[in-house]
C-alpha cells in the first residue's frame, strides 16, 4: 500500500478545514438572515385560531387547516401579536380566506386560505329526488360524515324538513344542507286567498286574488276582489294573508 506523503496529508486536512468553515459560515448566514423573519407557521396558526374562535363553544368536532404559504415569503418579524380578520364572507363555507396582519411600526398583511371540515351527524338521501320534492322520513337516513363547512349548515333533524321542498334535484347519497331547502309556497299568483285585517278584538275578512307568490312569513301583493284595491300583506298560512288596517 502506497503511503501518503506529509504534504498530501496536510493539503487534505486544510481542504477539509476549509470546507467545514464554509459550511459553518453558510449556516450562520442563514440563521442571521432568518432571525428577523416572521415564521410562516405562526401566520398559519393565527389564521386557524381566528376561525376556531368563531365557532360555538358547544359545537361538533371541526378540522381547521390553513393552506401552505410560499416558502420564499420573507416578512419582517412582527414586534406585536399578529391580528387575524375575515373579509366578511365565507365563514360558513368549507373554504375561506383569512387576513393576517402585523400592526407594528413596519406593518404588513397577508391572506391565508383556510379549509374547515366538520364531523357531523347529517341526513343523507336514500334515493334521488327531483326539484320541488318534499323530503319524507323514508327518503333519508342519518349518517356521521366528515363534511366541508361548519356543522350548522347541515340538516340533522327531520323536523327541519317539514314545510320545505328541495330547491333543486339531488342524487342519492347527498348530505342535506339548509341551503338546499326552501319553504313551501303557500300562496300562488292568481290564487284566491282570504285577507285578514285585525285591530285589537276587531277582525275583518275579505276575499282577494294573489298578484305574487310567497311562502309563510313572506310578503305578497293581493287585490281585494270587492274594492279592486291592491294591498300588501304577510302569508300566514295556506291561502291566508294578513294585512294591516
Amino acid at each position: 500500500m502506497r503511503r501518503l506523503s506529509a504534504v498530501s496529508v496536510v493539503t487534505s486536512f486544510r481542504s477539509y478545514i476549509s470546507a467545514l468553515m464554509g459550511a459553518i459560515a453558510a449556516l450562520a448566514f442563514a440563521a442571521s438572515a432568518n432571525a428577523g423573519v416572521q415564521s410562516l407557521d405562526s401566520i398559519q396558526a393565527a389564521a386557524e385560531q381566528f376561525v376556531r374562535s368563531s365557532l360555538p363553544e358547544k359545537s361538533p368536532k371541526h378540522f381547521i387547516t390553513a393552506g401552505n404559504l410560499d416558502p420564499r415569503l420573507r416578512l419582517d418579524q412582527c414586534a406585536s401579536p399578529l391580528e387575524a380578520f375575515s373579509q366578511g364572507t365565507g365563514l360558513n363555507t368549507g373554504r375561506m380566506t383569512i387576513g393576517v396582519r402585523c400592526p407594528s411600526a413596519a406593518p404588513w398583511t397577508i391572506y391565508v386560505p383556510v379549509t374547515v371540515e366538520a364531523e357531523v351527524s347529517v341526513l343523507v338521501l336514500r334515493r334521488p329526488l327531483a326539484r320541488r320534492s318534499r323530503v319524507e322520513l323514508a327518503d333519508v337516513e342519518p349518517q356521521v360524515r366528515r363534511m366541508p363547512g361548519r356543522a350548522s349548515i347541515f340538516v340533522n333533524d327531520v323536523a327541519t324538513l317539514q314545510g320545505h321542498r328541495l330547491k333543486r334535484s339531488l342524487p342519492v347519497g347527498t348530505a342535506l344542507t339548509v341551503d338546499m331547502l326552501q319553504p313551501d309556497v303557500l300562496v300562488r299568483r292568481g290564487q284566491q286567498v282570504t285577507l285578514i285585517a285585525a285591530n285589537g278584538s276587531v277582525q275583518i275578512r275579505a276575499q282577494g286574488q294573489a298578484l305574487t307568490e310567497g311562502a309563510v312569513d313572506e310578503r305578497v301583493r293581493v287585490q281585494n276582489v270587492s274594492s279592486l284595491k291592491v294591498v300588501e300583506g304577510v302569508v300566514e298560512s295556506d291561502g291566508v294573508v294578513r294585512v294591516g288596517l
Side-chain angles (χ1 to χ4, degrees):
M1 180 181 296
R2 190 181 64 177
R3 295 183 178 181
L4 295 176
S5 67
V7 173
S8 298
V9 172
V10 170
T11 301
S12 298
F13 180 73
R14 286 178 176 175
S15 298
Y16 171 76
I17 294 299
S18 178
L20 181 61
M21 294 301 293
I24 293 174
L27 290 173
F29 177 80
S32 175
N34 289 326
V37 174
Q38 186 74 38
S39 101
L40 301 185
D41 288 345
S42 67
I43 297 173
Q44 293 171 303
E48 291 177 352
Q49 181 55 36
F50 176 81
V51 175
R52 188 173 292 107
S53 65
S54 68
L55 298 172
E57 290 186 6
K58 296 181 179 180
S59 63
K61 187 175 182 180
H62 284 85
F63 303 87
I64 302 166
T65 307
N68 292 328
L69 299 175
D70 189 338
R72 297 169 297 178
L73 189 64
R74 293 291 184 270
L75 296 171
D76 291 339
Q77 180 97 31
C78 191
S80 305
L82 297 179
E83 296 179 352
F85 61 94
S86 90
Q87 297 298 304
T89 59
L91 280 178
N92 288 322
T93 66
R95 295 180 181 273
M96 64 196 73
T97 300
I98 301 299
V100 178
R101 62 186 166 219
C102 171
S104 65
W108 48 258
T109 301
I110 187 170
Y111 295 91
V112 183
V114 178
T115 59
V116 178
E117 294 179 304
E119 188 173 271
V120 291
S121 175
V122 60
L123 296 180
V124 176
L125 290 183
R126 302 177 65 182
R127 65 186 183 93
L129 291 177
R131 177 177 176 267
R132 300 189 68 83
S133 295
R134 289 183 182 275
V135 185
E136 307 294 346
L137 180 59
D139 298 327
V140 294
E141 64 180 1
Q143 293 183 9
V144 176
R145 288 188 176 184
R146 180 165 168 170
M147 302 292 296
R150 298 184 179 220
S152 58
I153 70 173
F154 297 99
V155 178
N156 56 21
D157 186 355
V158 292
T160 306
L161 304 175
Q162 297 178 6
H164 290 78
R165 296 176 184 267
L166 293 181
K167 288 183 180 179
R168 60 184 183 276
S169 299
L170 296 174
V172 62
T174 299
L176 294 178
T177 61
V178 292
D179 64 351
M180 294 176 181
L181 305 174
Q182 62 183 7
D184 286 339
V185 174
L186 300 181
V187 170
R188 299 186 181 278
R189 185 174 181 177
Q191 178 183 347
Q192 297 296 309
V193 299
T194 300
L195 293 171
I196 298 179
N199 186 4
S201 60
V202 179
Q203 188 175 86
I204 302 173
R205 290 175 176 262
Q207 294 302 304
Q209 184 176 33
L211 303 179
T212 56
E213 68 177 26
V216 65
D217 292 333
E218 291 184 342
R219 302 190 73 83
V220 293
R221 295 172 63 244
V222 180
Q223 184 178 48
N224 187 311
V225 296
S226 298
S227 67
L228 301 183
K229 180 181 179 181
V230 176
V231 296
E232 189 177 80
V234 176
V235 178
E236 187 170 88
S237 59
D238 192 1
V240 177
V241 177
R242 184 171 292 273
V243 298
L245 283 175

